[in-house]
Coordinates of all heavy atoms in Angstrom, one line a residue:
R4 N 32.2 -35.3 -3.2 CA 32.2 -36.0 -4.5 C 31.8 -37.5 -4.1 O 32.0 -37.9 -3.1 CB 33.5 -36.0 -5.2 CG 34.7 -36.7 -4.5 CD 36.0 -36.5 -5.2 NE 37.0 -36.8 -4.4 CZ 38.1 -37.5 -4.7 NH1 38.3 -37.9 -6.0 NH2 39.0 -37.8 -3.8
I6 N 32.3 -41.4 -5.6 CA 33.1 -42.3 -6.4 C 32.5 -43.7 -6.5 O 32.1 -44.3 -5.5 CB 34.5 -42.4 -5.8 CG1 35.2 -41.1 -5.6 CG2 35.4 -43.3 -6.6 CD1 36.4 -41.1 -4.7
Q23 N 32.6 -38.7 -0.4 CA 33.5 -37.9 0.3 C 32.9 -36.5 0.6 O 32.4 -35.9 -0.4 CB 34.9 -37.6 -0.4 CG 35.8 -36.6 0.3 CD 36.7 -35.9 -0.7 OE1 36.8 -36.3 -1.8 NE2 37.3 -34.9 -0.2
D65 N 30.7 -38.7 -9.3 CA 31.4 -37.7 -10.0 C 32.6 -38.3 -10.8 O 33.1 -37.8 -11.8 CB 32.0 -36.7 -9.0 CG 30.9 -36.0 -8.3 OD1 30.2 -35.2 -8.9 OD2 30.8 -36.3 -7.1
E66 N 33.0 -39.6 -10.4 CA 34.1 -40.3 -11.0 C 33.9 -41.8 -10.9 O 33.2 -42.2 -10.0 CB 35.4 -39.9 -10.3 CG 35.7 -38.4 -10.3 CD 36.7 -38.0 -9.2 OE1 36.8 -38.6 -8.2 OE2 37.4 -37.1 -9.5
S68 N 36.1 -45.3 -10.8 CA 37.4 -45.9 -10.6 C 37.2 -47.4 -10.9 O 36.2 -48.0 -10.5 CB 38.0 -45.7 -9.2 OG 37.1 -46.1 -8.2
P101 N 34.4 -39.0 -15.7 CA 35.9 -39.2 -15.7 C 36.2 -40.6 -15.2 O 35.6 -41.1 -14.3 CB 36.5 -38.2 -14.7 CG 35.4 -37.2 -14.5 CD 34.1 -37.9 -14.7
I102 N 37.2 -41.3 -15.8 CA 37.4 -42.7 -15.5 C 38.9 -42.8 -15.1 O 39.8 -42.2 -15.7 CB 37.2 -43.6 -16.8 CG1 35.8 -43.5 -17.3 CG2 37.6 -45.0 -16.5 CD1 35.6 -43.8 -18.7
F103 N 39.1 -43.6 -14.0 CA 40.5 -43.7 -13.4 C 40.7 -45.2 -13.2 O 39.8 -45.9 -12.7 CB 40.6 -43.0 -12.1 CG 40.4 -41.5 -12.3 CD1 39.1 -41.0 -12.2 CD2 41.4 -40.6 -12.5 CE1 38.9 -39.6 -12.4 CE2 41.2 -39.3 -12.7 CZ 39.9 -38.8 -12.6
Y105 N 43.1 -48.5 -12.0 CA 44.2 -48.8 -11.0 C 44.5 -50.4 -11.1 O 43.5 -51.2 -11.2 CB 43.8 -48.5 -9.6 CG 43.5 -47.0 -9.4 CD1 42.2 -46.5 -9.5 CD2 44.6 -46.2 -9.2 CE1 42.0 -45.2 -9.4 CE2 44.4 -44.8 -9.1 CZ 43.1 -44.3 -9.2 OH 42.8 -43.0 -9.0
A151 N 37.4 -47.8 -5.2 CA 37.0 -46.5 -5.0 C 37.8 -45.7 -3.9 O 38.1 -44.6 -4.1 CB 35.5 -46.5 -4.6
L152 N 38.1 -46.5 -2.9 CA 38.9 -45.8 -1.8 C 40.3 -45.6 -2.2 O 40.9 -44.5 -1.9 CB 38.9 -46.8 -0.6 CG 39.5 -46.2 0.7 CD1 38.8 -44.9 1.2 CD2 39.4 -47.2 1.8
C153 N 40.9 -46.4 -3.0 CA 42.2 -46.2 -3.6 C 42.2 -44.9 -4.4 O 43.1 -44.1 -4.3 CB 42.6 -47.4 -4.5 SG 44.1 -47.2 -5.5
H154 N 41.1 -44.7 -5.2 CA 41.0 -43.5 -6.0 C 41.0 -42.3 -5.1 O 41.6 -41.3 -5.4 CB 39.8 -43.6 -6.9 CG 39.6 -42.4 -7.7 ND1 40.5 -41.9 -8.6 CD2 38.6 -41.5 -7.7 CE1 40.1 -40.8 -9.1 NE2 38.9 -40.5 -8.6
Y155 N 40.2 -42.4 -4.1 CA 40.1 -41.3 -3.1 C 41.5 -40.9 -2.5 O 41.9 -39.8 -2.5 CB 39.2 -41.7 -1.9 CG 39.3 -40.8 -0.7 CD1 38.8 -39.5 -0.7 CD2 40.0 -41.2 0.4 CE1 38.9 -38.7 0.4 CE2 40.1 -40.4 1.5 CZ 39.5 -39.1 1.5 OH 39.7 -38.3 2.6
F156 N 42.2 -42.0 -2.2 CA 43.6 -41.7 -1.6 C 44.5 -41.1 -2.7 O 45.3 -40.2 -2.4 CB 44.2 -43.0 -1.1 CG 43.6 -43.6 0.1 CD1 43.5 -44.9 0.3 CD2 43.1 -42.7 1.1 CE1 43.0 -45.5 1.5 CE2 42.6 -43.2 2.3 CZ 42.6 -44.6 2.5
Q157 N 44.4 -41.5 -3.9 CA 45.2 -41.0 -5.0 C 44.9 -39.5 -5.3 O 45.8 -38.8 -5.7 CB 45.1 -41.8 -6.2 CG 45.6 -43.2 -6.1 CD 47.0 -43.3 -5.6 OE1 47.9 -42.8 -6.2 NE2 47.2 -44.1 -4.5
R158 N 43.6 -39.1 -5.1 CA 43.2 -37.7 -5.4 C 43.2 -36.8 -4.3 O 42.7 -35.7 -4.4 CB 41.8 -37.8 -6.1 CG 41.7 -38.8 -7.3 CD 42.0 -38.1 -8.5 NE 41.0 -37.2 -8.8 CZ 41.1 -36.3 -9.8 NH1 42.1 -36.3 -10.6 NH2 40.1 -35.4 -10.0
M159 N 43.6 -37.2 -3.1 CA 43.7 -36.3 -2.0 C 44.7 -35.2 -2.2 O 45.7 -35.4 -2.9 CB 44.1 -37.2 -0.7 CG 43.0 -38.0 -0.1 SD 43.7 -39.1 1.2 CE 44.1 -37.9 2.4
P160 N 44.4 -34.1 -1.7 CA 45.4 -32.9 -1.8 C 46.8 -33.4 -1.3 O 46.9 -34.2 -0.4 CB 44.9 -31.8 -0.9 CG 43.4 -32.2 -0.8 CD 43.3 -33.6 -0.9
S161 N 47.8 -32.8 -1.9 CA 49.2 -33.3 -1.5 C 49.5 -33.0 -0.1 O 50.3 -33.7 0.5 CB 50.2 -32.6 -2.5 OG 50.1 -31.2 -2.4
S163 N 47.6 -33.6 2.4 CA 47.2 -34.8 3.2 C 48.0 -35.9 2.9 O 48.3 -36.7 3.8 CB 45.7 -35.1 2.8 OG 44.8 -34.1 3.2
K164 N 48.5 -36.1 1.7 CA 49.4 -37.2 1.3 C 50.7 -37.2 2.1 O 51.2 -38.2 2.4 CB 49.7 -37.2 -0.2 CG 48.6 -37.7 -1.1 CD 49.1 -37.8 -2.5 CE 48.0 -38.3 -3.4 NZ 48.4 -38.2 -4.8

Side-chain angles (χ1 to χ4, degrees):
R4 69 182 163 140
I6 304 167
Q23 170 207 351
D65 299 292
E66 300 163 328
S68 57
I102 302 156
F103 300 88
Y105 300 98
L152 191 57
C153 172
H154 177 63
Y155 164 76
F156 289 145
Q157 296 305 304
R158 304 274 293 172
M159 288 173 63
S161 58
S163 297
K164 282 184 181 176

